[in-house]
Amino acid sequence: MRKLAAGNWKMNGLAENLSELDNLTQAHPSPNVDILICPPAPLLMQAALQSPVVQIGAQDCHAKTNGAHTGDISPDLIKSIGATSVILGHSERRQDHGETNEQIAAKTQAAHAAGLIAVVCIGETHLQRLENETLDVLAAQLAGSLPASSTAENTVVAYEPVWAIGTGLVPTDQQIDQAHAFIRDTLVARFGDTAKEIRLLYGGSVKASNADAIFQIKNVDGALVGGASLKASDFSPIINALENTL
Ligand code: PEP
């Protein structure tokens, strides 16, 4: 499988920040891993036009292909402007917009139908971890958020403990190992052996200083990176760390 370094710019960046894509392309003219940047929606088309090496993804999509849904973006539109992927079920969307597993599954199915790769995010809150509910939460999110159309080609699962996102806190290697092994086993139990090829990303305060260690953990096939993806100078060492595992 081809490993994946994915960056989520969230609601950061202005038009001029697309120059970071040029910087990334210069630093990685022919990468041995997939590089994906998910900028805010208004920058998607220019980003996709601008970037020959870096793949471009959205941060959300609607479950329908078109219609009276003011402010929403259809997966077909995202695909039509040259993007390859869409992040779905990020914890900030689950929190800020009350997105449910069912809604995320519908969006994921629509993304698949449009020919997009869905990067589906799951992860426990701090309280859920303290109460030993982590694996139950992951099981419920996997069962509820992934539609039957999920394959290794059209789906990436990102394990993002909510308490590790943007906090500087990172789970122990053992905690990541346990979560990723559980996710892998759960996917194989549902989708069969082909699910061994579904890429599993770790996300939550990944930076250059911890990327090497995280990428050594079994079943970690890349990272979903927030803050450290905004500047090529921060993201590039993470890409290098992933390439160094090959
Ligand atoms: C994220 O946005 O998915 C994320 C993991 O953010 P950060 O790397 O900043 O913790």
Side-chain angles (χ1 to χ4, degrees):
M1 100 190 23
R2 203 165 149 91
K3 296 192 176 186
L4 172 60
N8 174 15
W9 283 8
K10 312 191 188 193
M11 200 176 72
N12 296 300
L14 301 173
E16 55 259 39
N17 296 99
L18 287 177
S19 60
E20 294 297 336
L21 296 179
D22 302 330
N23 298 340
L24 269 183
T25 303
Q26 270 164 27
H28 306 275
S30 53
N32 294 318
V33 298
D34 285 345
I35 303 173
L36 172 69
I37 291 288
C38 301
L43 301 184
L44 279 173
M45 188 161 179
Q46 177 58 34
L49 287 171
Q50 188 170 324
S51 137
V53 169
V54 179
Q55 296 177 30
I56 298 301
Q59 299 173 13
D60 181 42
C61 70
H62 199 276
K64 297 226 167 88
T65 54
N66 54 34
H69 302 287
T70 302
D72 283 314
I73 307 175
S74 82
D76 300 70
L77 174 59
I78 294 166
K79 176 73 177 173
S80 76
I81 58 94
T84 61
S85 308
V86 57
I87 297 172
L88 292 169
H90 192 282
S91 63
E92 288 153 15
R93 297 221 41 103
R94 291 180 190 258
Q95 280 173 357
D96 296 355
H97 300 272
E99 286 191 9
T100 64
N101 286 330
E102 293 69 28
Q103 289 168 327
I104 294 159
K107 291 179 178 199
T108 302
Q109 193 171 353
H112 291 163
L116 291 169
I117 296 170
V119 180
V120 179
C121 303
I122 59 172
E124 82 286 0
T125 64
H126 196 224
L127 185 62
Q128 288 165 334
R129 178 160 282 279
L130 288 178
E131 298 195 340
N132 277 327
E133 292 171 2
T134 298
L135 300 186
D136 290 341
V137 169
L138 297 182
Q141 290 180 331
L142 284 170
S145 307
L146 291 182
S149 54
S150 304
T151 68
E153 288 71 39
N154 67 18
T155 304
V156 173
V157 174
Y159 169 57
E160 299 207 306
V162 178
W163 51 275
I165 295 177
T167 59
L169 300 173
V170 181
T172 63
D173 291 358
Q174 289 77 10
Q175 287 171 328
I176 297 176
D177 181 63
Q178 183 200 33
H180 279 241
F182 178 79
I183 293 166
R184 178 71 71 207
D185 290 348
T186 305
L187 293 173
V188 169
R190 177 166 170 202
F191 296 106
D193 270 358
T194 55
K196 289 181 181 161
E197 296 298 312
I198 293 181
R199 292 179 288 185
L200 306 187
L201 308 184
Y202 167 75
S205 297
V206 176
K207 27 187 189 299
S209 57
N210 59 22
D212 276 319
I214 291 170
F215 293 150
Q216 292 306 318
I217 301 170
K218 201 171 168 214
N219 287 306
V220 173
D221 307 311
L224 179 55
V225 182
S229 72
L230 295 172
K231 290 204 163 98
S233 55
D234 291 329
F235 198 37
S236 188
I238 296 172
I239 297 167
N240 289 336
L242 191 58
E243 286 191 310
N244 286 342
T245 64
L246 302 178

Coordinates of all heavy atoms in Angstrom, one line a residue, residues 8 10 90 92 160 164-167 203-206 224-228, ligand 1:
N8 N -4.5 18.8 7.1 CA -5.9 19.5 7.2 C -5.6 20.9 7.7 O -5.3 21.1 8.8 CB -6.7 18.7 8.3 CG -8.0 19.3 8.6 OD1 -8.4 20.2 7.9 ND2 -8.6 18.9 9.7
K10 N -7.9 23.1 8.1 CA -9.0 23.6 8.8 C -9.4 25.0 8.3 O -9.3 25.2 7.1 CB -8.8 23.6 10.3 CG -8.1 22.3 10.8 CD -8.1 22.2 12.3 CE -7.3 21.0 12.7 NZ -7.4 20.7 14.1
H90 N -14.6 14.5 10.8 CA -13.6 15.1 11.8 C -14.3 15.5 13.1 O -15.4 15.9 13.1 CB -13.0 16.3 11.1 CG -11.7 16.8 11.8 ND1 -11.8 17.5 13.0 CD2 -10.4 16.6 11.6 CE1 -10.6 17.8 13.4 NE2 -9.7 17.2 12.6
E92 N -14.1 17.9 14.9 CA -14.6 19.3 15.0 C -15.9 19.4 14.3 O -16.7 20.2 14.7 CB -13.5 20.2 14.4 CG -12.3 20.4 15.3 CD -11.0 20.7 14.7 OE1 -11.0 21.2 13.5 OE2 -10.0 20.5 15.3
E160 N -8.0 9.6 15.4 CA -7.7 10.9 16.0 C -8.3 11.0 17.4 O -9.5 11.5 17.5 CB -8.2 12.1 15.1 CG -7.6 12.1 13.7 CD -7.6 13.5 13.1 OE1 -8.6 14.1 13.1 OE2 -6.5 13.9 12.8
A164 N -6.1 14.7 21.7 CA -4.7 14.9 21.2 C -4.7 15.9 20.0 O -3.7 16.3 19.6 CB -4.2 13.6 20.7
I165 N -5.9 16.4 19.6 CA -6.0 17.3 18.4 C -5.7 18.7 18.9 O -6.4 19.3 19.7 CB -7.3 17.2 17.7 CG1 -7.5 15.8 17.1 CG2 -7.5 18.2 16.6 CD1 -8.9 15.6 16.5
G166 N -4.6 19.3 18.4 CA -4.3 20.7 18.6 C -3.9 20.9 20.1 O -3.8 22.1 20.5
T167 N -3.6 19.9 20.8 CA -3.3 20.1 22.3 C -1.8 19.9 22.6 O -1.4 20.3 23.7 CB -4.1 19.1 23.1 OG1 -3.7 17.8 22.7 CG2 -5.6 19.3 23.0
G203 N -3.7 10.7 13.8 CA -3.8 12.1 13.8 C -3.9 12.7 15.2 O -4.7 12.1 16.1
G204 N -3.2 13.8 15.5 CA -3.3 14.4 16.8 C -1.9 14.8 17.3 O -1.1 14.0 17.7
S205 N -1.6 16.1 17.0 CA -0.4 16.7 17.5 C 0.9 16.1 16.9 O 1.9 16.0 17.5 CB -0.3 16.8 19.0 OG -1.3 17.6 19.5
V206 N 0.7 15.6 15.6 CA 1.9 15.0 14.9 C 2.8 16.2 14.5 O 2.3 17.2 14.0 CB 1.5 14.2 13.7 CG1 2.8 13.8 12.9 CG2 0.7 13.0 14.1
L224 N -2.6 12.1 9.7 CA -3.5 13.3 9.3 C -3.0 14.4 10.3 O -3.1 14.3 11.5 CB -4.9 13.0 9.6 CG -5.9 14.1 9.3 CD1 -5.8 14.7 7.9 CD2 -7.4 13.6 9.5
V225 N -2.5 15.5 9.7 CA -1.8 16.5 10.4 C -2.5 17.8 10.3 O -2.9 18.2 9.2 CB -0.3 16.7 9.8 CG1 0.4 17.7 10.6 CG2 0.4 15.3 9.8
G226 N -2.8 18.5 11.4 CA -3.4 19.8 11.4 C -2.4 20.9 11.4 O -1.9 21.3 10.3
G227 N -2.1 21.5 12.5 CA -1.2 22.6 12.7 C 0.1 22.5 11.9 O 0.5 23.5 11.3
A228 N 0.7 21.4 12.0 CA 2.0 21.2 11.3 C 2.0 21.0 9.8 O 3.0 20.7 9.2 CB 2.8 20.1 12.0
Ligands
PEP1 C1 -6.4 17.5 12.8 O1 -6.8 18.6 12.5 O2 -7.0 16.5 12.3 C2 -5.2 17.4 13.7 C3 -4.8 16.2 14.0 O3 -4.7 18.5 14.2 P1 -3.3 18.7 14.9 O4 -2.3 18.0 14.1 O5 -3.1 20.2 14.9 O6 -3.4 18.1 16.3

